[in-house]
Each structure stands twice: as structure tokens, then as C-alpha cells.
Amino acid sequence: MIAHYLKVAFRNLWKYKFQHIVSALCLAVGVLAFSLMIRFVSVMSEKADYIGGERAMQLNIGKKDFAGDIPFYDNNSIIT
């Protein structure tokens, strides 16, 4: 049964080559844009010398936060 699914998948890949290439390229561009935005945000959050940097805060999330426990906020999470 799995061999049949693979056969049908490869047949569709071969039949609609251009559509699959375009879809793969768009997915790659989307992942690249997302990773660049995440990198930009992480770099900007480390710097406090941009406009509004004195009000910037960092949220630290641990495994306990997702277990239903009350999150713990300390004074070290504020960037000054």
C-alpha cells in the first residue's frame, strides 16, 4: 500500500514539475524571510540604544510555564 502511495506521489511530482518547483521556491523564500526577521528581532532586542530601548523588556519562558504553574518574573528580565 505504501508503495502505491509513493508511486502516485512521484507520478504527480513528475506530471506537475513546474508547480512543485514554484511551491518549493516560495516555501524556501518564506522560511528565509522568517529566519531573517527572527534574527533582526533578536539583534535589536540585545541593543538598548535604539528608539524606545529604555522601555524594552525580555520575556523569559521556561518549561514550568507550560506545565500550568504560575510563571516567575524576576528583575533581571528588564533590559535597561
Side-chain angles (χ1 to χ4, degrees):
M1 193 70 173
I2 293 176
H4 173 69
Y5 290 149
L6 291 174
K7 184 178 176 182
V8 170
F10 284 122
R11 188 183 309 147
N12 283 332
L13 283 173
W14 186 254
K15 187 175 181 181
Y16 302 107
K17 286 183 267 191
F18 183 73
Q19 181 179 357
H20 290 290
I21 289 171
V22 170
S23 296
L25 286 175
C26 290
L27 183 63
V29 168
V31 169
L32 179 67
F34 177 75
S35 63
L36 288 175
M37 285 188 288
I38 291 295
R39 178 68 181 148
F40 176 76
V41 169
S42 67
V43 167
M44 290 304 288
S45 66
E46 293 172 0
K47 298 179 180 179
D49 50 336
Y50 61 93
I51 297 173
E54 65 275 359
R55 297 182 314 221
M57 294 179 65
Q58 180 179 0
L59 177 63
N60 297 323
I61 299 176
K63 290 182 181 178
K64 283 187 170 183
D65 296 335
F66 295 105
D69 296 337
I70 298 172
F72 176 76
Y73 301 104
D74 59 351
N75 292 335
N76 295 332
S77 63
I78 299 174
I79 299 173
T80 55

